[in-house]
């Protein structure tokens, strides 16, 4: 009976524990960039080719490649009939429930007794450290990574046991799904290989193992190719010092796993949790040496599971916060397995009592911690628990205020964030946007310059700085920044803007080249080319002027201002018959166009006069 009851209870427990989050709103911390900024794509386009050839934010200037994450968001939209936030939250809760369900079976595969597998899974599901993995929508990639990695491991163990081809295919399939969910899965084959070498009495590489390795290599090459097409590399400027500092995640994650006291939605490294973690590392080493509950190599495997699946997070560090807890969902499963294997042979009554008590305490803490993700305000207010990084609180507060168009409050919050951390790139960028909107172009330029110098380089910041430079009549600088923006992400609009910058700097050849490319990229407002044609005409450059008016007419054959201005340009150029033809066409569209009637009368007089002169 326990075979069916335990998995069912795990599913119900996990779902009910996080059910409150289904009615939560967005936090406006990355979920706005992932979902709101791409609302048109998810509701109208939904192209799979776009999903697999753009980064996690549906652009090409970020560092994360998560196509299955975005595919899951697209499925949410299709199933719920729109951008319904409750559906995104519901899917997160369901995915986490399935993860707990599969984790139970994984524990059984590692020879953990059914009772301890059940209690251990409830402990895992209720742990407050994993709240962000469920209640925060952008952690969808970690949920998918964990789900597919656990499934891959279950089928891997089945494959090692009986070498059936269908388990080989399933292992490869779930590895592929994990890799396209999040980059961390690139280390998964190494963990699988270590498991084979450590847990198999006489490990021997045979044809089927080689075949599986070949299939995984093919997956990795395809993934690498698509990823290189989709992301712009790293804009984090990660130094060796940054990498080693990120290693503090090791002791801190262990500390928070054992003593999960933080309620912050954006946690930080503190001296307390670093010291607790270091003590735990020492205890783990001593335990691994002295404990006889399992072979030494197997204990090393669980530690390597933790370390190898945590290492990729060291390469994904921003400068605004220390670490994010959702990244620990898969790595810490290794530590829990190590603990469960050790305690299952101890006094069962005492151990079970302690674990049940922890599940109760963890569940209560999780329910309260989850509320921090209820809405944008509760999210940034939870950051007040951070003692060493007040700039994070003020930045997140300013971000919410800016989205709500409370710009005065947002400006005060960004000023406070920059006061605490003068090198806060995102606060500088966002403050620059507000200054630009308010006409403080010199101030905006200074903020953009500093943010870029600090390593913030993407399409948006170069486009914004170029626009400011245009206003300040630095056309050469604007041309350069528009070009850089196009290198990060192509938008036809930027060709038009750069064309204007070339025009203002009297580089007519490059101006027309950009504008011609712009016209080929899609729907063009004929007013744009008409305005440009007038600009050329004012400079007595009638050939370019006529070119622009013709482009406008090709875009919209009924756009009367383009016909009139082309007629007038031909009149100035002494092409009277061509001008008259344009006037006739214009008047056939709008017979009451007064200026065209006046110009036509003038043209007819000139043409008649020329005819009379030729007769004489």
């Amino acid at each position: 009976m326990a075979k069916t009851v335990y998995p069912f209870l795990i599913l119900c427990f996990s779902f009910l524990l996080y059910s409150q989050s289904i009615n939560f709103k967005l936090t406006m911390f990355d979920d706005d960039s992932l979902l709101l900024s791409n609302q048109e794509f998810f509701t109208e386009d939904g192209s799979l080719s776009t999903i697999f050839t753009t980064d996690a934010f549906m652009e090409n200037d970020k560092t994360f490649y998560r196509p299955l994450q975005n595919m899951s968001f697209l499925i949410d939209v299709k199933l719920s009939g729109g951008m319904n936030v409750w559906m995104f939250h519901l899917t997160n809760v369901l995915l986490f429930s399935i993860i707990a369900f599969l984790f139970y079976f994984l524990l059984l595969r590692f020879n953990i007794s059914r009772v301890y597998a059940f209690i251990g899974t409830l402990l895992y599901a209720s742990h407050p450290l994993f709240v962000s993995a469920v209640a925060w929508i952008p952690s969808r990639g970690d949920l998918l990574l964990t789900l597919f990695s656990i499934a891959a491991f279950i089928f891997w163990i089945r494959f090692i046991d009986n070498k059936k081809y269908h388990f080989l295919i399933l292992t490869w399939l779930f590895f592929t799904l994990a890799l396209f969910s999040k980059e961390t899965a690139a280390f998964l084959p190494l963990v699988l290989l270590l498991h084979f070498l450590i847990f198999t009495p006489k490990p021997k590489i045979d044809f089927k193992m080689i075949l599986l390795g070949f299939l995984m290599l093919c997956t990795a090459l395809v993934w690498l190719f698509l990823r290189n097409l989709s992301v712009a590399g790293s804009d984090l400027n990660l130094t060796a010092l940054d990498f080693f500092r990120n290693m503090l995640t090791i002791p801190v994650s262990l500390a928070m796993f054992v003593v999960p006291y933080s309620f912050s939605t954006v946690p930080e490294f503190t001296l307390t949790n670093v010291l607790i973690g270091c003590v735990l590392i020492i205890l783990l080493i001593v335990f691994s040496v002295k404990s006889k509950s399992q072979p030494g190599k197997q204990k090393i495997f669980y530690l390597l599971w933790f370390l190898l699946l945590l290492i990729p997070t060291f390469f994904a560090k921003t400068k605004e916060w220390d670490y994010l807890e959702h990244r620990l969902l898969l790595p810490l499963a290794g530590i829990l397995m190590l603990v469960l294997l050790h305690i299952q042979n101890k006094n069962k009554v005492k151990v079970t009592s302690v674990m049940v008590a922890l599940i109760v305490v963890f569940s209560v803490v999780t329910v309260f911690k989850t509320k921090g993700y209820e809405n944008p305000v509760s999210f940034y207010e939870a950051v007040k628990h951070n003692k060493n990084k007040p700039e994070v609180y003020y930045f997140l507060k300013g971000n919410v205020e800016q989205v709500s168009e409370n710009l005065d409050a947002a400006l005060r919050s960004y000023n406070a964030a920059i006061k605490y951390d003068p090198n806060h790139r995102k606060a500088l960028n966002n403050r620059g946007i507000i200054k630009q909107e308010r006409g403080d172009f010199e101030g905006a330029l200074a903020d953009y310059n500093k943010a870029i110098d600090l390593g913030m380089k993407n399409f948006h910041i170069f486009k914004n700085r170029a626009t400011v430079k245009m206003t300040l009549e630095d056309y050469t600088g604007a041309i350069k920044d528009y070009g850089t923006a196009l290198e990060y992400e192509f938008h036809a609009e930027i060709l038009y803007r750069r064309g204007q910058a070339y025009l203002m700097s009297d580089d007519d050849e490059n101006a027309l080249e950009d504008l011609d490319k712009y016209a080929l990229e899609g729907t063009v407002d004929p007013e744009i080319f008409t305005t440009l044609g007038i600009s050329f005409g004012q400079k007595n450059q009638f050939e370019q002027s006529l070119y622009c008016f013709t482009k406008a007419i090709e875009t919209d054959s009924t756009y009367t201002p383009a016909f009139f201005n082309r007629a007038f340009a031909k009149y100035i150029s002494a092409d009277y018959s061509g001008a008259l033809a344009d006037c006739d066409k214009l008047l056939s569209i709008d017979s009451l166009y007064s200026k065209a009637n006046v110009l036509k009368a003038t043209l007819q007089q000139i043409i008649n006069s020329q005819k009379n002169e030729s007769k004489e």
Side-chain angles (χ1 to χ4, degrees):
M1 184 176 178
K3 289 183 179 181
T4 56
V5 172
Y6 284 167
F8 176 75
L9 290 176
I10 288 168
L11 278 172
C12 293
F13 174 81
S14 304
F15 185 87
L16 290 173
L17 185 63
Y18 282 101
S19 59
Q20 64 170 323
S21 68
I22 296 172
N23 295 317
F24 285 2
K25 301 182 184 301
L26 298 177
T27 63
M28 307 309 290
F29 179 61
D30 280 357
D31 45 18
D32 55 332
S33 300
L34 283 169
L35 300 173
L36 296 184
S37 298
N38 298 302
Q39 182 168 346
E40 183 178 351
F41 171 82
F42 287 120
T43 56
E44 297 179 16
D45 182 6
S47 166
L48 291 181
S49 61
T50 301
I51 285 176
F52 279 90
T53 55
T54 53
D55 61 37
F57 291 85
M58 306 297 289
E59 299 172 349
N60 291 104
D61 60 3
K62 300 296 190 300
T63 60
F64 304 128
Y65 182 58
R66 314 278 166 76
L68 289 192
Q69 172 178 284
N70 286 329
M71 187 184 292
S72 71
F73 291 148
L74 180 61
I75 293 171
D76 286 343
V77 172
K78 298 302 181 185
L79 288 177
S80 67
M83 295 289 289
N84 296 298
V85 178
W86 63 264
M87 186 67 194
F88 299 124
H89 282 299
L90 173 62
T91 300
N92 271 24
V93 176
L94 289 172
L95 286 172
F96 184 72
S97 301
I98 297 171
I99 287 169
F101 177 82
L102 291 178
F103 187 62
Y104 167 76
F105 289 102
L106 179 65
L107 294 179
L108 295 180
R109 290 289 165 192
F110 277 99
N111 298 318
I112 295 173
S113 69
R114 198 171 295 278
V115 172
Y116 277 97
F118 172 64
I119 298 175
T121 300
L122 294 182
L123 192 68
Y124 181 75
S126 64
H127 204 291
L129 190 58
F130 304 139
V131 165
S132 66
V134 189
W136 187 50
I137 295 171
S139 63
R140 177 71 62 82
D142 283 87
L143 290 171
L144 293 171
L145 165 73
T146 304
L147 188 152
F148 295 136
S149 295
I150 291 175
F153 230 107
I154 290 172
F155 289 115
W156 165 260
I157 296 173
R158 296 294 302 275
F159 169 66
I160 293 301
D161 289 343
N162 56 37
K163 296 297 178 69
K164 298 288 186 180
Y165 274 108
H166 60 279
F167 290 128
L168 182 155
I169 296 300
L170 287 169
T171 302
W172 168 63
L173 172 64
F174 282 108
F175 161 70
T176 300
L177 293 173
L179 187 59
F180 280 90
S181 297
K182 191 171 182 180
E183 297 86 342
T184 300
F187 282 70
L188 187 58
L190 181 56
V191 181
L192 296 174
L193 180 61
L194 286 171
H195 171 269
F196 171 71
L197 296 175
I198 290 173
F199 284 83
T200 305
K202 294 181 180 180
K204 182 181 178 181
I205 305 295
D206 57 16
F207 169 75
K208 292 181 180 179
M209 293 282 291
I210 294 172
L211 176 60
L212 179 57
F214 174 75
L215 291 173
M216 287 183 169
L217 178 62
C218 291
T219 290
L221 291 175
V222 172
W223 172 81
L224 191 61
F225 172 75
L226 291 173
R227 186 180 187 279
N228 287 338
L229 286 179
S230 308
V231 303
S234 175
D235 66 345
L236 302 180
N237 293 329
L238 195 73
T239 65
L241 183 61
D242 291 328
F243 181 84
F244 285 112
R245 181 181 181 277
N246 294 345
M247 290 180 68
L248 288 174
T249 307
I250 297 173
V252 168
S253 61
L254 289 172
M256 297 308 299
F257 188 61
V258 175
V259 191
Y261 61 87
S262 173
F263 280 81
S264 176
T265 47
V266 184
E268 61 183 341
F269 297 146
T270 66
L271 181 60
T272 301
N273 56 32
V274 170
L275 290 176
I276 292 174
C278 289
V279 170
L280 290 171
I281 290 173
I282 294 171
L283 292 175
L284 270 176
I285 294 172
V286 172
F287 158 74
S288 299
V289 172
K290 291 189 174 183
S291 174
K292 305 297 182 182
S293 60
Q294 53 194 303
K297 289 194 298 184
Q298 294 185 11
K299 286 179 281 190
I300 292 174
F301 168 77
Y302 298 113
L303 295 175
L304 288 175
W305 171 305
F306 168 66
L307 291 173
L308 289 174
L309 296 175
L310 188 63
I311 285 174
T313 67
F314 301 167
F315 295 94
K317 165 76 165 56
T318 68
K319 298 186 180 298
E320 285 75 36
W321 30 80
D322 292 331
Y323 75 104
L324 296 172
E325 292 175 337
H326 63 276
R327 296 171 179 169
L328 306 176
L329 183 62
L330 180 60
L332 282 171
I335 298 298
L336 180 58
M337 285 190 285
L338 177 63
V339 173
L340 290 173
L341 283 163
H342 174 65
I343 64 174
Q344 71 174 348
N345 296 321
K346 303 298 181 183
N347 187 307
K348 290 188 177 181
V349 176
K350 290 183 179 180
V351 170
T352 303
S353 300
V354 171
M355 291 181 68
V356 170
L358 284 175
I359 291 169
V360 172
V361 172
F362 283 177
S363 298
V364 172
V365 174
T366 291
V367 168
F368 281 100
K369 186 173 179 178
T370 302
K371 293 182 181 297
Y373 296 81
E374 186 171 3
N375 55 56
V377 175
S378 63
F379 186 86
Y380 72 68
E381 286 296 333
V383 183
K384 281 185 176 179
H385 292 282
N386 291 14
K387 303 300 181 184
N388 301 324
K389 285 183 172 290
E391 67 275 9
V392 175
Y393 165 75
Y394 285 110
F395 167 71
L396 294 174
K397 184 172 184 290
N399 190 37
V400 172
E401 292 162 343
Q402 187 174 13
V403 171
S404 303
E405 297 186 357
N406 188 356
L407 299 186
D408 289 331
L411 197 58
R412 289 193 296 270
S413 295
Y414 290 138
N415 286 337
I418 293 166
K419 176 183 176 182
Y420 284 108
D421 180 6
N423 294 330
H424 198 294
R425 301 176 302 169
K426 293 184 177 180
L428 286 163
N429 173 67
N430 290 4
R431 188 175 71 174
I433 293 172
I434 293 176
K435 289 180 177 179
Q436 182 177 350
E437 290 179 359
R438 294 190 159 191
D440 180 8
F441 300 111
E442 294 287 355
L445 182 62
D447 280 346
Y448 291 145
N449 285 342
K450 188 169 183 180
I452 290 170
D453 288 343
L454 290 168
M456 188 173 191
K457 297 178 181 179
N458 56 54
F459 166 80
H460 300 286
I461 194 168
F462 283 108
K463 181 197 75 171
N464 290 341
R465 190 172 73 168
T467 303
V468 168
K469 287 180 178 179
M470 282 286 289
T471 305
L472 296 175
E473 300 183 358
D474 176 10
Y475 303 122
T476 301
I479 290 167
K480 183 177 179 181
D481 277 351
Y482 281 135
T484 305
L486 285 170
E487 290 175 4
Y488 282 99
E489 189 176 336
F490 179 80
H491 285 276
E493 171 203 3
I494 303 303
L495 289 171
Y496 165 67
R497 293 191 182 191
R498 190 172 67 177
Q500 283 188 310
Y502 277 126
L503 186 65
M504 298 304 294
S505 59
D506 294 323
D507 187 347
D508 298 333
E509 183 178 351
N510 279 317
L512 285 176
E513 183 180 347
D514 268 358
L515 294 169
D516 211 15
K517 290 178 182 176
Y518 169 64
L520 293 172
E521 289 301 325
T523 303
V524 178
D525 185 347
E527 183 181 357
I528 291 172
F529 276 100
T530 303
T531 302
L532 288 169
I534 293 170
S535 298
F536 277 120
Q538 290 171 343
K539 296 164 66 176
N540 294 321
Q541 296 174 342
F542 297 111
E543 182 179 349
Q544 293 91 334
S545 179
L546 287 168
Y547 172 84
C548 290
F549 294 139
T550 300
K551 279 289 182 184
I553 292 168
E554 289 173 354
T555 301
D556 184 353
S557 60
T558 63
Y559 190 65
T560 53
F563 277 108
F564 175 77
N565 281 287
R566 188 170 73 171
F568 191 79
K570 288 178 179 179
Y571 163 67
I572 297 296
S573 304
D575 179 8
Y576 303 123
S577 58
L580 185 60
D582 277 345
C583 282
D584 286 337
K585 177 63 178 176
L586 190 163
L587 291 169
S588 70
I589 300 170
D590 182 2
S591 60
L592 300 179
Y593 202 111
S594 58
K595 289 183 179 180
N597 281 307
V598 172
L599 180 58
K600 180 178 179 179
T602 302
L603 289 166
Q604 286 175 332
Q605 288 180 353
I606 293 172
I607 291 172
N608 289 334
S609 176
Q610 287 178 337
K611 287 180 179 179
N612 292 332
E613 288 177 2
S614 64
K615 288 180 180 179
E616 293 176 359

